[in-house]
Every structure is written in structure tokens, then in C-alpha cells.
Amino acid sequence: MHRTVPFWQQALLSALLLGLFLGAWELAAGRGGGGTGVAVDPEYAALLGQAAAQGGQTPFPRPSEIAVRLWELLRDPFYVRGTNDQGIGVQVAYSLLRVAAGFGLAALVAIPLGFLIGMSPLLSGALNPFIQVLRPVSPLAWMPLALFTIKDSAISSIFVIFICSVWPMLLNTAFGVQSVRREWLNVARTLEAGTLRTAFRVILPAAAPTILTGMRISIGIAWLVIVAAEMLVGGTGIGYWVWNQWNNLSLSDIVIAILLIGIVGLLLDRALGAVQRLVAWQD
Amino acid sequence: MHRTVPFWQQALLSALLLGLFLGAWELAAGRGGGGTGVAVDPEYAALLGQAAAQGGQTPFPRPSEIAVRLWELLRDPFYVRGTNDQGIGVQVAYSLLRVAAGFGLAALVAIPLGFLIGMSPLLSGALNPFIQVLRPVSPLAWMPLALFTIKDSAISSIFVIFICSVWPMLLNTAFGVQSVRREWLNVARTLEAGTLRTAFRVILPAAAPTILTGMRISIGIAWLVIVAAEMLVGGTGIGYWVWNQWNNLSLSDIVIAILLIGIVGLLLDRALGAVQRLVAWQD
Amino acid sequence: ACGRDHGALACDGAPPADGTGAFGEAAEQAVIRAVFPEDATRRGLLARFGAAAVAGAISQFLPLGAAREALAQPAGAPEKKDLKIGFIPITCATPIIMAHPMGFYGRHGLNVEVIRTAGWAVIRDRSIAREYDAAHMLAPMPVAMSLGVGVAQPIPWAVAAVENINGQAITLANKHKDRRDPKQWKGFRFAVPFDFSMHNYLLRHYLAEHGLDPDRDVQIRAVPPPEMVANLRADNIDGYLGPDPFNQRAVFDGVGFIHILTKELWDGHPCCAFAVPRSMITETPNTFAALMRAIVEATAHSQKPENRREVATAISGQNYLNQPETVVNQVLTGTFADGLGQVRRVPDRIGFDPFPWHSMAIWILTQMRRWGQVQRDLDYAQVAQQTFLALDAGKAMRELGLPVPASATRTETIMGRPFDPAAPVGWTERAIRGA
Amino acid sequence: MQHPYVSFEGVTRAYPGHVVFRDLWFGVNRGEFVCLVGHSGCGKTTVLNILAGLDAPNAGGVIVDGQEISGPSLDRAVIFQGHALMPWMTAEQNVAFALSCRHPGWGKAKLRDAARAALEKVGLGQAADRKPAMLSGGMKQRVGIARALAIEPKMLLMDEPFSALDALTRGALQDEVARLVAEANQTAFMITHDVDEAILLADRILLMTNGPDARCAEVVMNTLPKPRNRATLHKLPGYHALRDHILEFLLTRSRTLAGTRPADWDPKSPPDVRPADAPLPAAAE
Amino acid sequence: MQHPYVSFEGVTRAYPGHVVFRDLWFGVNRGEFVCLVGHSGCGKTTVLNILAGLDAPNAGGVIVDGQEISGPSLDRAVIFQGHALMPWMTAEQNVAFALSCRHPGWGKAKLRDAARAALEKVGLGQAADRKPAMLSGGMKQRVGIARALAIEPKMLLMDEPFSALDALTRGALQDEVARLVAEANQTAFMITHDVDEAILLADRILLMTNGPDARCAEVVMNTLPKPRNRATLHKLPGYHALRDHILEFLLTRSRTLAGTRPADWDPKSPPDVRPADAPLPAAAE
Ligand SMILES: Nc1ncnc2c1ncn2[C@@H]1O[C@H](COP(=O)(O)OP(=O)(O)OP(=O)(O)O)[C@@H](O)[C@H]1O
Ligand SMILES: Nc1ncnc2c1ncn2[C@@H]1O[C@H](COP(=O)(O)OP(=O)(O)OP(=O)(O)O)[C@@H](O)[C@H]1O
Ligand SMILES: O=[N+]([O-])[O-]
Ligand SMILES: [Mg+2]
Ligand SMILES: [Mg+2]
């Protein structure tokens, strides 16, 4: 169960699976089979001025078409051609900025508050019911409320990121602080270390891996939520980009956006994973 | 740090905090309602909302107003007055049904597949890149694709639940299976237990708590996502209800929906928590 | 593919001008197929001479007119009675909606479920998926779908009837009360319901006429109409050219004011459409006919000023628009608060006229071209004919004793400038001021 | 030497860049109790795992009952150091699971009865329905013993079975294992760190030098009379001599001998010693 | 008895429904090494925690240096059973953390130098930059010792400091602690399960009966000559008598005496015994 398999075997199988999947897709889409069920009469289309070349157009884009489009988008990801037309890189940057703001704010609130909750069983018991009820509330249910009360869409988006990513950090910080080993606290006590010294030199580093686990969950949620929030609020961001491409039903762009969202999400996760490794300690 | 505090103290503090919060809100909302109070043409005023007639904007509802509305909604939660007008209980039931379908499907796929991945380091390595990239993709980015390819909005919503809740279960099952203690496997081997017997009597129960942790995360995500999906696609469900009330700018209903979503989410989490306790084992 | 399935329409390049419409085309098609059973031959002929010419030639020796008449008679009971129709909760959908509580569908033997939907993209997707048998769409949507613009492949839908004319407005946030001149609007963020909407085209035209470049000087984004007020209130947008009741709702909630009614831009412009898949006409002609009659009747009923209050009551409830009745009332009666302290009386603020003028479609096409949504050359008249079913609507109107225009085109007046559908080219340029 | 039940024949186990032990030979006779003593990391567990069939040698082989082994077998039951009970099963279910592997045909009732009987034997009749978490360390290890004995193996393998227990419990269990093994005349092979434990239980004690490249430096014959009992063990004549000999080995010789091989070294027969038969030279009082 | 440095005076510790020990009296003199031996659960850790100031008695008090204690103090350093190093700090940082508590005014460089010096003393100069996870169990415990000694406490408290280590490492560390304590003439109080360890290190050995309601049944005076050395300990005259006396207590009397109090029992002065001074009656060979 813990056997190790050479990396090249895994990579080969990965590549093989990817190849098979893309190949099957290319073929399936090429045959036009995966269509909409509404067979289009090419002559009808011709009457409407469709170029004959488009007779073979398929409803779902083929991987090769997507690759071409991807190349187009990535050749110039940061262009800004007016307010309604900006490169995909610009959109991702907008989303990342919002996530950074909301997530940063959440960390600023959650970590000190989590610390307090972790240290005080009373506070922990008293706040728990509220946390438990608010935690499962969907970000998009918050959005209308935020828009209405905050009256600023930029801050509303950030608030929604905030409110969704605050819970895992809060709970994990509290849990991490609660489960600092008694023996380390005893060491600090026998050394007559003061409250602040104990908090910063013992409890914080001891709880850091747990806190970072919470932050990692949070950033994942924040990234899920930003796309949803931007679809709803619009204006800029990768979520708005998806929304726009959906309105135009341009499937290649949506597939590309999905990939991009996945990859950026993965990178965010990896980045926090790296920080997590930095503060991790082994026993 | 592990001191226990009497329950009544926690409950008292909880109640106190809630009371303070609601009180402050009631006061703040009560004062904020009116505008400048400029006298306007009564005919004109009659055409406006109450607040606008006084030169202001519709204010945020007070807790007491929300309570009244809550009572209205809960008095008859299951009425059906046409396609577009159904009680809040009916909407929650729709959402729960969708979550059950998507989540159930995801479990059916994720648990066996996770088992395979957990048992095979090769498969684990090969599939990992795909899982890592697809996992952070926002549900709502999937939605347009699902609507287009599946061509059924009901199934699309379920698909989106499926795709979002499949990852934690898959990863946790794989992880749980991977980390079954070597010593238990050795026990099985020295007892010459067959593959099936080992899988069902040793690996599955050993991994069950981890699998259930994954399921618990998944149901949380599924519940977040269903609200978002329903807001976007509409028709029925608590998410659609939020959207609908938002359009009517009826904030009382949105606050009630947030509470309801939170409580239902909490109950779902608790239900899986109960199952988790059933399969948990202590060492 | 002529002669197979519903391909009939496709072969009829120039439908007769006498108003026999799609039924006639089907009959004609059947005849052409009977005369030239060989596919290749038939296609060759059609390609060379066009369907009209071929039909004309055939009619020399066959009683084509008679066949058309016979086939065009409404042949009794609808093939499919249980229909689902999607709508967006706005007053543009009034005829579609009020036909439900007020029994117009039932009167024509149909059992219709009207389903409130969250946004235009969802309407489009559920229509393509045939979850909806017919739908409330923005007038440009069936055109775009048929052209394969904004969809993955051409999907032949058509405007069977126009739902409403006028009835839109530009609403601005209250803080802009002192900026009534569009020249001051640089940097504004506007919302329109959808990229393929009259709202988008009208707003762009309006801005361009005042010297703003809609793509550079302002931001225009697609926001589902119901979300517009909330976004305006949240200062997420500065204004919108949107459908009612959301203009009026902004006033009602003290969030915005009505800057201008679209009636003042183009009196009689179309907004929303009652859209059907083209296949419905050939596959379930009786259903189609019944539905047309119901919609046309409902439209006519909604148009009468004396019915407007009753209609407002019928559609304001939870099941339909889910809006305060007074708001819907102000929209439908045209006596409304403008958000600037005035009570205005514009009885024709919104109108209901089902006839799908081809000239409307042609203007829409020029704007698609103008703003880059369509990049190739189009035969505007052809496309208009295929997607705006003036003949079928006219037939239903005639059956209900309503006056039917003699021609499907007319000269429109848009912001004081005449639009001649026969000479549309000037309107495709980004800057038409100087044209 | 008679034909032994188990014989290790020239077994070598190495990891890349690290030879654990090389060319190891020894035998265990039927009914004999052999203990393996040595410092941490010298390779004791590796020896036991190879014998259990859980690990495979790089060279050489292990013959059990005339056949070279190729994997685990129900005939060689293992009592693991960390008890290795399945925590989601009750004590009874743990034993029944083992029984169901030995006797796939048995019904539920029969399995239950046999499992209860096995638990009775180790004095746990009343704790049969408890899960391991509700048992003390000693009770858990008892269940492990019951599980091993229930399948009636030809041989019992034990890897420091009591090292995690406190002194009192450890003593009680040592007595119990001594009794059970004697009753069944069970062949047994046990690893331990505890000199007194080895003296109490073993017929022969294999002393391993420190690793890497460990070897079995000598075989100590335990000639103290049986049955032995923990409370009176230290009063047996020869006990102190035997204990001091082994302690001496662990304290100094295990290290000084490590890596060396005397000129006359024959891996096939490490020297036998019988310290308990001779009077203790220095420590006598 | 001279005026002791530490004196436990009538200390009682009870949890609801469970008296751990009652009316406990004993003293530790300046420069003396006292071991506390008893079975698991009898309350040894509780005694040590009260002495450290980490736990508080329900009745009675502890006087240290003439003052009743009210909490932990830098004057009483604790070496914990599980080493209790902070795993996110290097060995040096662990020691420096303790030093920075003792000397809040010291700068970074001074703390570093002092920490290095403390680690040199326990032979870990070259491992100062490693985190605990990269140290062996023995090295970790050494860092714990260095940390405790670095703050120059007036007294050292140790709770089974070596029980988690293997025999070889344990032996080496015992020798080291013996040396360091002797060098500094450190007052020390240690809990152990290991009889040999107690004999090696202690001047006096307190024997506790099993719990609940445990008591200090007798005080064994260790009269074996100092300095003692692990390798030669078992050759000292009186060693076997001393060891057998304590073993006897642990094997039988700790249980039989539990809960009982003889008629002439004076909790303030449990009987002193000196088994190493008399010849061993039975085990002599
Ligand atoms: N998978 C492995 N890869 C490399 N080296 C290993 C592996 N498993 C064990 N070893 C090495 O083999 C040697 C013997 O290990 P083993 O567990 O048999 O020792 P042991 O005598 O049982 O020790 P202990 O008394 O601590 O249980 C050790 O030095 C260990 O580091
Ligand atoms: N927080 C507590 N609540 C109730 N009982 C406790 C608590 N802490 C310890 N005890 C009890 O006090 C008794 C003494 O515990 P203590 O840890 O002092 O024993 P010990 O002699 O150190 O055992 P060991 O040798 O296993 O370390 C035990 O019976 C234990 O169950
Ligand atoms: O129909 N409109 O969205 O106007
Ligand atoms: Mg081992
Ligand atoms: Mg203890």
C-alpha cells in the first residue's frame, strides 16, 4: 500500500489518459455527433448567409480548436481595449486582487479571534452556535445582502470572499490553539514565560500548521467563491469573463476559463502549501 | 487551555451577544429609515415606496419585521400556488433533493475510485494532476458547460453538485486507504485473509472515518454550491428563492433565507457527523 | 436537404408577398418535391433559379395556389397541448404572462405552464435544450441564434410575434441627477439585459449620437434585468437601459430616476419577442397556430388602456413578476413618478403590438454589424424574412379581426433620423453621425 | 542438533547501502521457546518479519517444517508489538475475524463461541464485547494473544509483545504466556529488550550484536529449572550469573563485537554458552 | 533530620471520587538526589507536578527554601518524560528560549553563546542547529537536560526522563545525569520505573504503594558507594540485596500494602531501610 512507483510510469500513464481523452473528444466532436439535437439544414444556414465553410461547424469545440483559441488568448493576455474588452490575464489579475483583499481581511480577523476563542472555553462555547449557523451559508446568499447594506460592489465582492473564507481559518485557529500540547505550555509555565512570550513563541508556532491548514481550505473556498461572485456582480474578473462568454455561448472560452481557474486555484493552493511546509514542524 | 466552563455560562453569553446584536440592529435600522422628510406632491408621493416618498431609500428591515415575516413564511411553508410561487419549505425540499442526487452520485463514483487510487500508487500518481486541476474549478464555471452539453437544467444542477462534491470524497477515500496502518494489513496477511475480505473487513472500516470526513466536507460544498447554482439557473430551490426575493428587494426574506440555509447546512453537517461517529474508532 | 423533414422552409428563398406564410411554404415545398423527386435535380434547380422561380414555374401547370390554401387551413386540434414557456419577470412579457391567469391559452385549447427564469442565457440554453417549447426572448436573440452568432451553431428560432413595443428607459442613479447630458457620462458603468438586446443597441446608438464611444468611454455589461435595481443601489452601475418594471422600481425605492424613455428614442421600437423554434411550425402546425392566436389575442387585450389595471393586478403577484402592484401599474398605465419629483403621464409608455416588422429586424442586423457581433456580409432582407414571421403573425391577426399591415417593412424614425430598411448600409458604421 | 522445526539458512537482508544482517543461521526446535535479544536497530524485527513471511530475504531462505516459506501462513501466528487489534471490532470480533480466516466455512454462532472460548482462556471472558479503546494495554495485548492462539498455529512469533506495558502488567502477562505456551507445548520465537523476560520465558536466548551487518554472536542456553515464576525467579540459583552475562553482552560486547567476525567464526553454528551452570565469579556475596 | 531544602507537608491530592494520595510528608535535602518509585497510576507524576508548581494540592503545602510555593518557578527546572522540546525550534533555540526567560535582558548573541555552551556540556555542540525531529531520542532528552541545567535552577525535577529510550541510550544518559548532577552538586528529584536507574542515581529512594490513596511506604537509603557506574554497578557489594528489596516491594508489597496503614503508622516519618548494608539472605551464591 505504501509501495512507490517510478515517477515516469505515473507521468506516462497521465499523458496516456490525457491523450486518450482528448483524442476521443476530438473524434466525437469531429463527427458532429455530440450536437444539440437540433439538426441544422445547411441550406437553411446558407440562406441566412452562413459561409459554406461553416457547414462542418460542430456544436462543441474540438480540443484542437480550443488549443488555437488558447494560443490566441495567451499571446496577449494583458491587453486593455476599452472598458468592455480586456485580456484574460487582466481578468485573472482582478480576481486575484479581490481574493487577496477578502482573504487577507479574513485572516486579519480570524486569526486573532480564533486565538481568543481557542484560549477561552467560555468564548468558544458562546460563539460556537453563531459560527456553526453562519458557516454553511452560501456566498451568493450573502451577496444580495452585502450589495444592499454595503452599497459598494467592489467592497461587497470582497466582503463575500471575506465571509466565506473566514470560517475555516477561525475554526482551525481555535482548534490549533486549543490543542497545543499541555507539555509545551507546562514548559513555558515552569520557565515563567509571560503571556505574550507564551502566545508568540509557543502557542502561535505550535498552532501554525493547523492555522495554515485552515488558510489553505479558505483560499480554496475564496477562489470558488470569487468566480461565483463575479458572475453575479460583473464588471471585471475571470468570473465575469465566464459570464460574458456564457452569454455569447462561446464554449472554447468557457473550457479555457475552467482550465485557467483550475490552474490558478492549484497554484494558490500550492503557494499556501509551501508556506505550510515552512511553518510545519515534525515531532 | 482545556478547562471546562459550565454550559449555562456559555449559553448565557450566547444569548447576551445575540440580544445585543439584535438590539443594536433594531435601533440602528429604526433610526436609519427616514430621509430628509421633504414635503413632496402627495400624488407623486403616492407612487413611491414609503421611504422614497420621504426622500430616502428603502431601509434595511428591523429584526422585528424579519420575525413577523418569518412567522408568515413558517406558518405555511409547503404551499404550492403555481409553478413560480411555492412555499419556502418546498424550495428547501427541492434543493435538498438536488443535493441528495448530486452528492449520492458523487459518493457512488468517488468511493470506489478513491479505493482504487488508494490501493495503486501508479493510478494515484497518474490521476493526481487531473484531480488537482479540476478540483479548484468553481461550480459556476461548470454550469454553462453542463447546460450546453447535458441540455437539461435539472440534470445540469445535479452535475454541478456532483463535480464539486466528488473531489473531497475522492481524495479522502484515497488518502484513507493509503494510510491504513501497515500492521493491520500485516495482521490480514498473516491470517491469509483474501483480497475481498481484507478490503471489506480491514481497509474499508479502517478508512471509514477518513472517508466520512471527506463526505462531510463534500456535503458542505454541495450545499454552498446548490444555492449558487439555483441562483444562476433558477426555477426552484432555496437559491432561486433568494434570487427572486433579491429581485423584489425584499431583504427580510433574504435574511430569513440566509438563516435557513445556515440551519439546513448545519443539520446536514450534523447528520454526517452522526454517521461519522458511528464508524469512528478510537485507538 | 430540401424535401426532408422540416427542410421545406429552407428551400423557399422568397416567400410569396401575399401573406400565406409558413403554411403556404410547406405546401409549396410538398409540391416541388412531388414534381422533382430526385434530390440532386431539385437542388440544382433551386440553386440555379431560386425557390420562388421554381415554384412560379411549377404553378404554371399545377394548381399550386389551391394546394397552399388547403394545407394552410388550421387543421383542428393542436398536436401538442401541454407546453412550457419560459419568461423573464419583466413587463415586456405581459402578454405571455397574463395569458396564463386570464385564460387565453386555455381558450385556444392549450395547457401552458409559464416558467419564470433567472436570465437570458438560461432562457437561451433551456430553449436550445427544448426544455421550453417556446419562450420570451429579446427580439434580437432569435436572429442571433439563427445566424449562429453567440451560439455554438445556428439554431433556427424565430420571432413569431413581438411582445411589446417601447416600455424601456434609461435609469440613472440618483447621484447623477445633475448630469443629464450624455456627454457627461464618460466613465459610466451601464447595464443592459443581454448583449443581443434592443437595450444594448439603443443605448449604444444613443451614446454614439452624443459623441461617446460605447466601447471605450463607458462600460456596458450584461446584467439580468431583475438584478439591475440591486446593482444600481449598490453603486455597482451608474445606470441602465433596462426593461420595466425595473426602471420604475428604482424610482419606487428611491434609488434612481428615469432619465429618458426609449419611446422618446424610437417610438414603436420592438423589445421582447415571443420566440418559437422554426421546427414547431412544420412539426406541430396546429399547436403553433393556436399559440399564435392566443398570444396575438393576449397582446391585443393588453394593448387596450382600459384593461391595463386589470392586467397589472394579474401579473404582479408572486407567481409572475413578484413586484409591488403600484410599480407595475405605473408602467402599464403610463402615469408614473419619474424620480425627479414629477408625475408624468405617458399612456403609450409601453405598447403591445404583435406585428414583427421586417424593418425592425433589419435595423437589429445593422447594429449587430455595427458593433462587431456579426463580421460577415448579410442579406438583411432575407434574414429578416426568415426570422421575423410577419406572415404568420399577420395571419393570426387577420383571423382575430385585427388590422394587418400591407407590407412587412416601413421606414422607422430613430432619434429623429429616418431608417430606410431598403438602404440600411449607412447604419452599420460605428459613427453614423456624419453619415 | 536434531532436525529443527524452523531453520534460518544463510539469510541476508540488506537495504540499498545498508546491510541489516548477513548469512544468518539458526534453528528453532518443535516445542522450544527461543528469545532474540539485541539493541534497537540491530535487525530483530527484520528477522521476525522474514520468519513470518511478511518480508523476504535478499539471499538464503527459511525452512519451516521441511518447506521453504514464501509468504505469511496461518501456521505461524504473530503477536505484534502494538497489539495490532482492529479498533473498530470488539475483542470478540477481533478473534472471530482471525477464526473466520482459518475456518471460512464456520457460521456466525460457531465463530462467536470459539472466540469467546479463546478469550476465556486469557481471562477476558467478561470483556469480550468491549472495543480495544475500552481495554487497558495489558488487556489489549491479551486479546492479541488470544487471537494468535485461537487459530491454533504451529508456531507463535512475538515482537516485543510487552514492551509498551507497565511493569506490573508486563509481569502478569509474562506469567500468562509462560503458562499458555507450556500448556500447549507451543513452539515460540520472541523478540525482547528485557533481560528478565528472556530469562523467564526462553529455553534458548540468541544474542545479536549491534547493526549494521549484525550477527548472532552467541546462543545462551537457559538452564534454570521450569516452570519458572516471576516473583521467585531472582531466587533461583544461577539467575544472577545468567542475568549478568546477558547484561554484560548488552552493555559492552554487543558493541565491541559489532562488525567484527573472529577468525574461527562459523556463521552456521554460533557458540553455545551456559552461564547459569557455573557460579558467578564477582557478584557473589 | 536537618532542615530540608524541599519539604512536602501533609499534601493531599484528590479528584472527585478519587483520592490519589493523602497526608504525604517527605523532604529533599540540598544537594541530595531522591528517586520516587512506584507502579503506574500511584500518583508519582502528581507529586512531581505539585512540586513543580504545575498542580496544586487539595490540602497541605510544599515548602521550598523556607517559602510555600504557589506556582512554577525558574528555580525548579523540570525535565519532562516526553522531552517536551518545541519541535519548531532548533536544539539551540530551545535552550536559548529557556535562557531568554531567565535573563530577559540578554541579547541574541549572548543567548546563543550561552545556549551553545549548555549544549556542549551535554555533548551536543555539533547538533545545535538541528531540529528535534532530526535528533535521536537520546539526543532530544539531552537537549531537555541542557535546557533545564542552562537556567541554573536550584533544583532539578525529572519525570521518568529516560523511560522512552532504548537500553543502550538510557544507560549512557543515566551516566551523564549522574556526572552532571554530581559536578554541580545539584538537588534532584526523579521519578522512575526502573530499579537499576534508581540504584545508580539516588541517595534515597521513596517507595510508593499502589493507588488509589497511595502513600510513601518506606524510604530506602542507598548506601552503595559513589561515584557509581552502570557497567560496574552490579558488581558492587550490596547491589543485589538492594535491587531484590525494591523488586520485592514492587512485585508484592506495593500491592499488599495498598490502602492499608499499620497501627503505628506516622505519615510524617515513613520507616527508613538500608538493605545494601546487610548481606542478602537467599540470593547469595
Ligand atoms: N524499509 C527500510 N529501508 C531501509 N532501512 C530499513 C528499512 N526497514 C528497516 N530498516 C533498517 O533495518 C535495521 C533493522 O531494523 P529493525 O526494525 O529490524 O530493528 P530492530 O532490531 O527490530 O529494532 P527495535 O528494537 O528498535 O525494534 C534498522 O537499522 C533500520 O534502519
Ligand atoms: N485530571 C485528572 N482527573 C482525574 N484523575 C486523574 C487526573 N489526572 C490524574 N488522575 C489520576 O491520578 C492518579 C495518579 O496519576 P499519575 O499520573 O500521577 O500517576 P503516575 O504514578 O505518574 O503513573 P505513571 O507511572 O503511569 O506515569 C491516576 O489514577 C490517574 O487516573
Ligand atoms: O426584455 N428585456 O430584458 O427587456
Ligand atoms: Mg523491532
Ligand atoms: Mg507519571
Side-chain angles (χ1 to χ4, degrees), chain A residues 7-25:
Chain A
F7 176 74
W8 66 264
Q9 282 188 15
Q10 301 176 350
L12 197 73
L13 187 56
S14 278
L16 201 77
L17 286 174
L18 186 63
L20 270 178
F21 174 68
L22 291 182
W25 176 359

Side-chain angles (χ1 to χ4, degrees), chain B residues 34-193:
Chain B
T36 51
V38 282
V40 280
D41 167 17
E43 190 200 355
Y44 180 76
L47 295 176
L48 298 179
Q50 200 189 337
Q54 285 160 22
Q57 292 194 346
T58 311
F60 202 83
R62 272 171 293 146
S64 51
E65 289 161 4
I66 294 175
V68 170
R69 177 73 180 132
L70 180 63
W71 173 239
E72 261 174 58
L73 287 172
L74 290 189
R75 241 183 359 194
D76 183 12
F78 294 106
Y79 73 84
V80 178
R81 286 187 214 114
T83 317
N84 306 310
D85 187 12
Q86 310 188 356
I88 195 160
V90 177
Q91 307 292 3
V92 170
Y94 272 116
S95 297
L96 283 174
L97 267 177
R98 288 198 187 104
V99 165
F103 177 80
L105 224 61
L108 281 183
V109 170
I111 293 172
L113 191 61
F115 226 85
L116 278 183
I117 292 178
M119 307 266 261
S120 153
L122 175 62
L123 216 56
S124 162
L127 293 183
N128 199 42
F130 303 116
I131 298 176
Q132 294 299 331
V133 168
L134 292 180
R135 189 168 60 108
V137 175
S138 178
L140 295 197
W142 286 114
M143 185 55 98
L145 209 62
L147 279 175
F148 185 84
T149 46
I150 298 177
K151 289 181 197 313
D152 182 301
S153 53
I155 300 180
S156 295
S157 302
I158 291 171
F159 169 78
V160 169
I161 302 296
F162 167 84
I163 199 85
C164 293
S165 55
V166 80
W167 310 118
M169 279 194 264
L170 189 65
L171 290 173
N172 266 49
T173 305
F175 176 74
V177 169
Q178 259 160 22
S179 21
V180 171
R181 278 194 223 149
R182 168 137 246 149
E183 55 180 358
W184 295 329
L185 297 173
N186 279 345
V187 167
R189 286 175 66 202
T190 59
L191 291 172
E192 299 185 50

Side-chain angles (χ1 to χ4, degrees), chain D residues 28-106:
Chain D
V28 180
N29 298 320
R30 219 178 281 271
E32 194 184 23
F33 199 121
V34 171
C35 272
L36 179 60
V37 173
H39 277 299
S40 194
C42 71
K44 304 183 297 297
T45 295
T46 309
V47 168
L48 187 130
N49 280 346
I50 289 173
L51 181 48
L54 294 170
D55 195 357
N58 297 72
V62 181
I63 313 295
V64 174
D65 217 0
Q67 277 218 306
E68 177 158 358
I69 64 170
S70 62
S73 155
L74 279 159
D75 286 340
R76 279 164 282 129
V78 182
I79 297 175
F80 294 87
Q81 172 169 10
H83 63 77
L85 296 183
M86 318 274 175
W88 55 90
M89 297 180 182
T90 62
E92 182 192 298
Q93 288 167 337
N94 266 287
V95 178
F97 175 66
L99 282 165
S100 74
C101 292
R102 164 67 89 185
H103 311 284
W106 283 13

